Amino acid sequence: MRYVIIGSGAVGGSIGGRLHESGRSVVLVARGAHFEALRGNGLRLTVPSGTLTLDVPVVAGPEDVALREDDVLVLAVKTQDSDAALQAWAARPVAGGGTAGERLALVCAQNGVENERRALRLFREVYGMCVVLPGTHLEPGSVVAPCGPYTGALVVGRYGAGPDGTVRRIADDLEKSCFLAPVVADVMRWKYGKLLGNLANAVEALCGSVSDDGAARDLVARATAEGAAVLGAAGIAYASGAEITGLRSGTVEPRPVPGEHTHGSSWQSLARGAGSIETDYLNGEIVLLGRSHGVPTPVNAALQQAARESVRLGRAPGALTAEDLERRIAGAVAS
Protein backbone atom coordinates (compact mmCIF):
# COMPACT_ATOMS: atom_id res chain seq x y z
CA MET A 1 0.00 0.00 0.00
CA ARG A 2 1.02 3.58 -0.66
CA TYR A 3 -0.53 6.33 1.45
CA VAL A 4 -1.39 9.63 -0.22
CA ILE A 5 -1.89 12.12 2.62
CA ILE A 6 -4.20 14.91 1.43
CA GLY A 7 -3.50 17.72 3.88
CA SER A 8 -0.16 17.51 5.68
CA GLY A 9 -0.74 19.64 8.76
CA ALA A 10 -0.68 18.44 12.36
CA VAL A 11 -2.71 15.27 11.74
CA GLY A 12 -1.69 14.46 8.17
CA GLY A 13 1.96 15.33 8.78
CA SER A 14 2.12 13.16 11.91
CA ILE A 15 0.46 10.18 10.23
CA GLY A 16 2.45 10.52 7.01
CA GLY A 17 5.71 11.14 8.81
CA ARG A 18 5.39 8.15 11.10
CA LEU A 19 4.31 5.86 8.24
CA HIS A 20 7.30 6.99 6.19
CA GLU A 21 9.64 6.54 9.15
CA SER A 22 8.50 2.92 9.53
CA GLY A 23 9.24 2.16 5.87
CA ARG A 24 5.77 2.57 4.35
CA SER A 25 5.36 4.29 1.01
CA VAL A 26 3.94 7.80 1.51
CA VAL A 27 3.21 10.88 -0.58
CA LEU A 28 2.35 14.11 1.21
CA VAL A 29 0.06 16.67 -0.43
CA ALA A 30 0.57 20.26 0.67
CA ARG A 31 0.31 23.75 -0.76
CA GLY A 32 1.88 27.18 -0.56
CA ALA A 33 4.74 27.82 1.83
CA HIS A 34 4.23 24.45 3.51
CA PHE A 35 4.72 22.65 0.19
CA GLU A 36 7.85 24.65 -0.56
CA ALA A 37 9.32 23.92 2.87
CA LEU A 38 8.57 20.21 2.61
CA ARG A 39 10.02 20.00 -0.88
CA GLY A 40 13.14 21.93 0.04
CA ASN A 41 13.95 20.66 3.52
CA GLY A 42 11.78 17.63 4.23
CA LEU A 43 9.26 17.23 7.02
CA ARG A 44 10.47 18.26 10.46
CA LEU A 45 8.45 16.08 12.83
CA THR A 46 9.13 16.88 16.46
CA VAL A 47 8.24 14.11 18.93
CA PRO A 48 9.19 13.69 22.60
CA SER A 49 12.44 11.93 21.67
CA GLY A 50 13.59 14.74 19.36
CA THR A 51 13.11 16.19 15.89
CA LEU A 52 13.03 13.86 12.89
CA THR A 53 13.86 15.23 9.46
CA LEU A 54 12.03 13.02 6.99
CA ASP A 55 12.53 13.18 3.24
CA VAL A 56 8.94 12.30 2.38
CA PRO A 57 7.88 12.77 -1.26
CA VAL A 58 5.56 15.76 -1.57
CA VAL A 59 3.26 17.07 -4.31
CA ALA A 60 1.16 20.21 -4.64
CA GLY A 61 -2.01 18.55 -5.93
CA PRO A 62 -3.68 15.56 -7.58
CA GLU A 63 -2.31 16.39 -11.02
CA ASP A 64 1.23 15.81 -9.70
CA VAL A 65 0.88 12.17 -8.67
CA ALA A 66 0.18 9.12 -10.82
CA LEU A 67 -2.29 7.06 -8.80
CA ARG A 68 -1.78 3.32 -8.39
CA GLU A 69 -4.29 0.61 -7.65
CA ASP A 70 -2.73 -0.02 -4.22
CA ASP A 71 -3.03 3.62 -3.10
CA VAL A 72 -4.96 4.65 0.00
CA LEU A 73 -6.08 8.29 0.08
CA VAL A 74 -6.00 9.78 3.59
CA LEU A 75 -8.12 12.93 3.77
CA ALA A 76 -6.69 15.11 6.53
CA VAL A 77 -7.94 18.58 5.58
CA LYS A 78 -10.43 20.49 7.70
CA THR A 79 -14.09 19.73 6.93
CA GLN A 80 -14.63 23.12 5.30
CA ASP A 81 -12.04 22.09 2.70
CA SER A 82 -13.35 18.56 2.14
CA ASP A 83 -15.68 19.20 -0.78
CA ALA A 84 -12.99 20.81 -2.90
CA ALA A 85 -10.51 18.03 -2.10
CA LEU A 86 -13.02 15.25 -2.78
CA GLN A 87 -13.97 16.77 -6.13
CA ALA A 88 -10.33 17.20 -7.10
CA TRP A 89 -9.32 13.64 -6.31
CA ALA A 90 -12.38 11.50 -7.12
CA ALA A 91 -12.08 11.79 -10.90
CA ARG A 92 -8.32 11.24 -11.09
CA PRO A 93 -7.34 8.23 -13.23
CA VAL A 94 -5.82 5.14 -11.62
CA ALA A 95 -3.25 2.94 -13.36
CA GLY A 96 -5.03 -0.01 -14.96
CA GLY A 97 -8.27 1.88 -15.52
CA GLY A 98 -11.02 3.59 -13.60
CA THR A 99 -10.94 6.56 -11.27
CA ALA A 100 -9.93 7.13 -7.68
CA GLY A 101 -13.58 7.36 -6.67
CA GLU A 102 -14.29 3.99 -8.24
CA ARG A 103 -11.20 2.08 -7.18
CA LEU A 104 -9.35 3.56 -4.20
CA ALA A 105 -9.98 3.50 -0.49
CA LEU A 106 -10.48 6.90 1.15
CA VAL A 107 -9.87 7.39 4.88
CA CYS A 108 -11.38 10.45 6.58
CA ALA A 109 -8.80 11.35 9.25
CA GLN A 110 -10.78 14.38 10.38
CA ASN A 111 -12.77 15.84 13.23
CA GLY A 112 -16.54 16.06 12.99
CA VAL A 113 -19.03 13.62 11.50
CA GLU A 114 -19.87 15.16 8.13
CA ASN A 115 -16.90 14.09 6.03
CA GLU A 116 -17.68 10.42 5.56
CA ARG A 117 -21.18 11.11 4.30
CA ARG A 118 -19.90 13.64 1.78
CA ALA A 119 -17.11 11.33 0.69
CA LEU A 120 -19.47 8.42 0.05
CA ARG A 121 -21.17 10.42 -2.70
CA LEU A 122 -17.94 10.30 -4.71
CA PHE A 123 -15.97 7.30 -3.38
CA ARG A 124 -17.20 3.72 -3.18
CA GLU A 125 -14.96 2.69 -0.29
CA VAL A 126 -14.90 5.16 2.60
CA TYR A 127 -13.34 4.58 6.01
CA GLY A 128 -13.75 6.68 9.14
CA MET A 129 -10.95 7.49 11.53
CA CYS A 130 -11.48 8.88 15.02
CA VAL A 131 -8.29 10.87 15.51
CA VAL A 132 -6.90 11.20 19.03
CA LEU A 133 -3.61 12.81 18.10
CA PRO A 134 -2.58 16.04 19.83
CA GLY A 135 -0.35 17.97 17.47
CA THR A 136 0.61 21.41 16.27
CA HIS A 137 1.35 22.86 12.86
CA LEU A 138 2.17 26.56 12.96
CA GLU A 139 5.28 26.85 10.76
CA PRO A 140 5.78 25.68 7.16
CA GLY A 141 7.49 22.31 7.00
CA SER A 142 7.12 21.66 10.72
CA VAL A 143 4.76 19.48 12.77
CA VAL A 144 4.91 18.79 16.52
CA ALA A 145 3.41 15.56 17.92
CA PRO A 146 4.13 15.65 21.67
CA CYS A 147 2.66 12.36 22.93
CA GLY A 148 4.15 9.00 23.84
CA PRO A 149 4.79 6.16 23.94
CA TYR A 150 2.37 6.26 20.98
CA THR A 151 2.02 9.33 18.78
CA GLY A 152 -1.76 8.91 18.64
CA ALA A 153 -4.77 6.63 18.85
CA LEU A 154 -6.54 6.24 15.49
CA VAL A 155 -9.77 4.27 15.75
CA VAL A 156 -10.61 3.05 12.24
CA GLY A 157 -13.58 1.37 10.59
CA ARG A 158 -15.38 1.06 7.30
CA TYR A 159 -18.15 3.62 6.91
CA GLY A 160 -21.59 2.10 6.59
CA ALA A 161 -20.45 -1.52 6.75
CA GLY A 162 -18.40 -3.92 8.84
CA PRO A 163 -14.59 -4.16 8.85
CA ASP A 164 -12.88 -5.57 5.78
CA GLY A 165 -9.40 -6.62 4.74
CA THR A 166 -8.44 -3.13 3.63
CA VAL A 167 -9.07 -1.47 6.98
CA ARG A 168 -7.22 -4.26 8.76
CA ARG A 169 -4.17 -3.74 6.53
CA ILE A 170 -4.32 0.00 7.16
CA ALA A 171 -4.54 -0.59 10.91
CA ASP A 172 -1.60 -3.00 10.77
CA ASP A 173 0.57 -0.40 9.03
CA LEU A 174 -0.43 2.23 11.60
CA GLU A 175 0.27 -0.11 14.50
CA LYS A 176 3.79 -0.60 13.12
CA SER A 177 4.23 3.18 12.88
CA CYS A 178 3.87 4.30 16.51
CA PHE A 179 0.06 4.48 16.57
CA LEU A 180 -2.69 2.61 18.32
CA ALA A 181 -5.18 1.64 15.61
CA PRO A 182 -8.11 -0.43 16.89
CA VAL A 183 -10.51 -1.59 14.16
CA VAL A 184 -14.17 -1.21 15.09
CA ALA A 185 -17.51 -1.89 13.44
CA ASP A 186 -19.01 1.37 14.76
CA VAL A 187 -16.40 4.02 13.95
CA MET A 188 -18.98 6.82 13.81
CA ARG A 189 -19.94 6.12 17.42
CA TRP A 190 -16.34 6.99 18.30
CA LYS A 191 -16.39 10.05 16.08
CA TYR A 192 -19.56 11.37 17.73
CA GLY A 193 -17.87 10.91 21.11
CA LYS A 194 -14.84 12.83 19.86
CA LEU A 195 -17.21 15.53 18.54
CA LEU A 196 -18.39 16.23 22.10
CA GLY A 197 -14.77 16.68 23.19
CA ASN A 198 -14.06 18.97 20.25
CA LEU A 199 -16.77 21.44 21.36
CA ALA A 200 -14.08 22.88 23.63
CA ASN A 201 -11.93 23.85 20.64
CA ALA A 202 -13.90 27.03 19.98
CA VAL A 203 -13.65 28.15 23.62
CA GLU A 204 -9.87 27.68 23.59
CA ALA A 205 -9.53 29.55 20.28
CA LEU A 206 -11.73 32.46 21.34
CA CYS A 207 -10.54 32.78 24.94
CA GLY A 208 -6.95 31.64 24.46
CA SER A 209 -7.04 29.04 27.22
CA VAL A 210 -9.41 26.78 29.09
CA SER A 211 -7.39 25.00 31.76
CA ASP A 212 -6.61 28.11 33.83
CA ASP A 213 -9.93 29.95 33.32
CA GLY A 214 -12.87 28.81 35.42
CA ALA A 215 -15.43 30.75 33.36
CA ALA A 216 -14.09 29.19 30.15
CA ARG A 217 -14.27 25.72 31.71
CA ASP A 218 -17.90 26.40 32.59
CA LEU A 219 -18.64 27.31 28.98
CA VAL A 220 -17.08 24.04 27.83
CA ALA A 221 -19.18 22.08 30.32
CA ARG A 222 -22.37 23.79 29.14
CA ALA A 223 -21.54 23.33 25.46
CA THR A 224 -20.86 19.63 26.12
CA ALA A 225 -24.11 19.23 28.05
CA GLU A 226 -26.01 20.74 25.12
CA GLY A 227 -24.23 18.34 22.78
CA ALA A 228 -25.10 15.30 24.87
CA ALA A 229 -28.75 16.40 25.07
CA VAL A 230 -28.90 16.85 21.31
CA LEU A 231 -27.34 13.47 20.54
CA GLY A 232 -29.74 11.87 23.00
CA ALA A 233 -32.74 13.52 21.34
CA ALA A 234 -31.48 12.44 17.93
CA GLY A 235 -30.94 8.85 19.09
CA ILE A 236 -27.26 8.95 18.14
CA ALA A 237 -24.92 6.66 20.07
CA TYR A 238 -21.52 8.01 21.06
CA ALA A 239 -18.43 6.81 22.86
CA SER A 240 -18.24 8.18 26.37
CA GLY A 241 -15.52 10.49 27.59
CA ALA A 242 -14.35 7.66 29.84
CA GLU A 243 -13.95 5.37 26.83
CA ILE A 244 -11.88 7.91 24.94
CA THR A 245 -9.79 8.65 28.03
CA GLY A 246 -9.32 4.94 28.58
CA LEU A 247 -8.18 4.48 24.99
CA ARG A 248 -5.27 6.88 25.43
CA SER A 249 -4.50 6.42 29.13
CA GLY A 250 -0.91 5.26 29.52
CA THR A 251 -0.41 5.07 25.76
CA VAL A 252 -1.01 8.52 24.21
CA GLU A 253 0.21 10.72 27.04
CA PRO A 254 1.43 14.33 26.72
CA ARG A 255 5.18 14.56 27.13
CA PRO A 256 7.13 17.81 27.34
CA VAL A 257 8.70 19.04 24.11
CA PRO A 258 11.08 21.93 24.89
CA GLY A 259 9.82 25.24 23.56
CA GLU A 260 6.55 23.80 22.27
CA HIS A 261 2.98 24.16 23.52
CA THR A 262 0.10 22.14 22.11
CA HIS A 263 -3.08 23.93 21.11
CA GLY A 264 -6.28 22.70 19.51
CA SER A 265 -6.84 22.86 15.78
CA SER A 266 -9.22 25.85 15.98
CA TRP A 267 -6.70 27.84 18.02
CA GLN A 268 -4.09 27.04 15.37
CA SER A 269 -6.38 28.17 12.55
CA LEU A 270 -6.74 31.61 14.14
CA ALA A 271 -3.03 31.78 14.98
CA ARG A 272 -2.03 30.99 11.38
CA GLY A 273 -4.63 33.35 9.93
CA ALA A 274 -5.90 30.41 7.89
CA GLY A 275 -8.99 32.29 6.74
CA SER A 276 -11.40 29.59 7.91
CA ILE A 277 -12.20 27.52 10.97
CA GLU A 278 -13.93 24.17 11.44
CA THR A 279 -16.35 25.36 14.14
CA ASP A 280 -19.30 25.16 11.74
CA TYR A 281 -18.80 21.37 11.70
CA LEU A 282 -18.16 20.95 15.43
CA ASN A 283 -20.32 23.31 17.49
CA GLY A 284 -22.31 23.93 14.31
CA GLU A 285 -23.14 20.23 14.07
CA ILE A 286 -24.74 20.43 17.51
CA VAL A 287 -26.65 23.57 16.49
CA LEU A 288 -27.91 21.83 13.34
CA LEU A 289 -29.07 18.74 15.23
CA GLY A 290 -30.60 20.89 17.97
CA ARG A 291 -32.68 22.80 15.45
CA SER A 292 -33.71 19.53 13.79
CA HIS A 293 -34.86 17.97 17.06
CA GLY A 294 -36.16 20.96 19.00
CA VAL A 295 -33.31 21.16 21.53
CA PRO A 296 -32.01 24.67 22.40
CA THR A 297 -28.27 25.12 21.89
CA PRO A 298 -27.53 28.76 22.81
CA VAL A 299 -23.96 28.13 23.99
CA ASN A 300 -22.86 26.27 20.88
CA ALA A 301 -24.64 28.79 18.64
CA ALA A 302 -22.82 31.68 20.31
CA LEU A 303 -19.47 29.90 20.00
CA GLN A 304 -20.11 29.17 16.33
CA GLN A 305 -21.04 32.77 15.56
CA ALA A 306 -18.11 34.21 17.53
CA ALA A 307 -15.66 31.90 15.76
CA ARG A 308 -16.96 32.90 12.34
CA GLU A 309 -16.71 36.55 13.36
CA SER A 310 -13.13 36.08 14.58
CA VAL A 311 -12.09 34.63 11.23
CA ARG A 312 -13.80 37.44 9.34
CA LEU A 313 -12.13 40.12 11.49
CA GLY A 314 -8.75 38.41 11.59
CA ARG A 315 -8.67 38.09 15.36
CA ALA A 316 -5.84 36.26 17.09
CA PRO A 317 -6.57 33.48 19.59
CA GLY A 318 -7.69 34.81 22.95
CA ALA A 319 -9.16 38.07 21.66
CA LEU A 320 -12.41 37.46 23.56
CA THR A 321 -13.11 36.54 27.16
CA ALA A 322 -15.54 34.05 28.61
CA GLU A 323 -17.48 37.01 29.94
CA ASP A 324 -17.78 38.41 26.41
CA LEU A 325 -19.23 35.10 25.28
CA GLU A 326 -21.57 34.92 28.27
CA ARG A 327 -23.06 38.28 27.29
CA ARG A 328 -23.63 37.00 23.75
CA ILE A 329 -25.38 33.91 25.07
CA ALA A 330 -27.56 35.91 27.43
CA GLY A 331 -28.51 38.31 24.64
CA ALA A 332 -29.43 35.46 22.33
CA VAL A 333 -31.56 33.75 24.98
CA ALA A 334 -33.30 37.04 25.85
CA SER A 335 -34.21 37.68 22.23
Side-chain angles (χ1 to χ4, degrees), residues 25-329:
S25 181
V26 175
V27 176
L28 299 178
V29 183
R31 59 187 179 181
H34 191 40
F35 165 74
E36 295 295 343
L38 292 171
R39 182 174 63 172
N41 303 305
L43 171 67
R44 297 190 311 278
L45 178 60
T46 299
V47 296
S49 60
T51 297
L52 309 169
T53 300
L54 305 169
D55 188 20
V56 191
V58 60
V59 299
E63 64 280 358
D64 298 326
V65 57
L67 294 176
R68 312 185 315 211
E69 61 183 355
D70 67 337
D71 284 341
V72 173
L73 306 182
V74 179
L75 191 64
V77 300
K78 298 291 193 298
T79 304
Q80 63 268 27
D81 299 318
S82 284
D83 283 344
L86 291 167
Q87 291 286 346
W89 286 89
R92 296 300 301 171
V94 177
T99 66
E102 294 166 341
R103 299 191 58 196
L104 301 185
L106 178 89
V107 180
C108 295
Q110 301 161 285
N111 286 333
V113 294
E114 179 66 15
N115 299 288
E116 288 80 3
R117 183 171 179 270
R118 293 187 178 193
L120 201 61
R121 295 178 185 273
L122 299 176
F123 285 82
R124 287 182 181 173
E125 297 298 331
V126 174
Y127 300 83
M129 177 181 284
C130 177
V131 178
V132 182
L133 199 174
T136 302
H137 166 55
L138 294 174
E139 299 179 3
S142 179
V143 169
V144 180
C147 286
Y150 292 91
T151 297
L154 308 174
V155 182
V156 290
R158 191 177 180 195
Y159 181 64
D164 61 5
T166 298
V167 74
R168 292 190 178 94
R169 290 193 296 274
I170 293 169
D172 184 61
D173 282 345
L174 291 169
E175 291 274 6
K176 293 173 180 174
S177 305
C178 211
F179 293 103
L180 291 177
V183 176
V184 298
D186 55 352
V187 67
M188 297 310 294
R189 174 178 171 272
W190 283 87
K191 296 198 74 164
Y192 273 103
K194 178 76 185 318
L195 171 66
L196 290 184
N198 285 142
L199 300 180
N201 290 16
V203 179
E204 182 201 22
L206 296 168
C207 300
S209 178
V210 171
S211 61
D212 57 354
D213 185 335
R217 291 197 301 272
D218 180 66
L219 278 177
V220 170
R222 290 161 59 195
T224 304
E226 284 182 2
V230 162
L231 295 184
I236 296 173
Y238 58 92
S240 68
E243 286 178 278
I244 294 174
T245 299
L247 174 70
R248 62 180 297 181
S249 179
T251 54
V252 183
E253 296 283 0
R255 294 184 174 180
V257 173
E260 301 289 350
H261 300 280
T262 300
H263 297 283
S265 56
S266 298
W267 188 101
Q268 294 176 52
S269 291
L270 291 185
R272 290 199 310 271
S276 67
I277 195 167
E278 63 184 339
T279 313
D280 283 346
Y281 300 97
L282 302 177
N283 307 82
E285 180 71 26
I286 298 304
V287 172
L288 183 155
L289 287 171
R291 290 169 178 167
S292 299
H293 295 276
V295 179
T297 58
V299 176
N300 283 284
L303 294 173
Q304 180 188 10
Q305 292 164 5
R308 292 173 62 88
E309 180 184 276
S310 290
V311 170
R312 186 174 69 253
L313 298 178
R315 289 179 180 140
L320 299 177
T321 66
E323 289 73 20
D324 293 329
L325 295 170
E326 288 285 6
R327 285 191 287 272
R328 290 172 180 248
I329 296 165

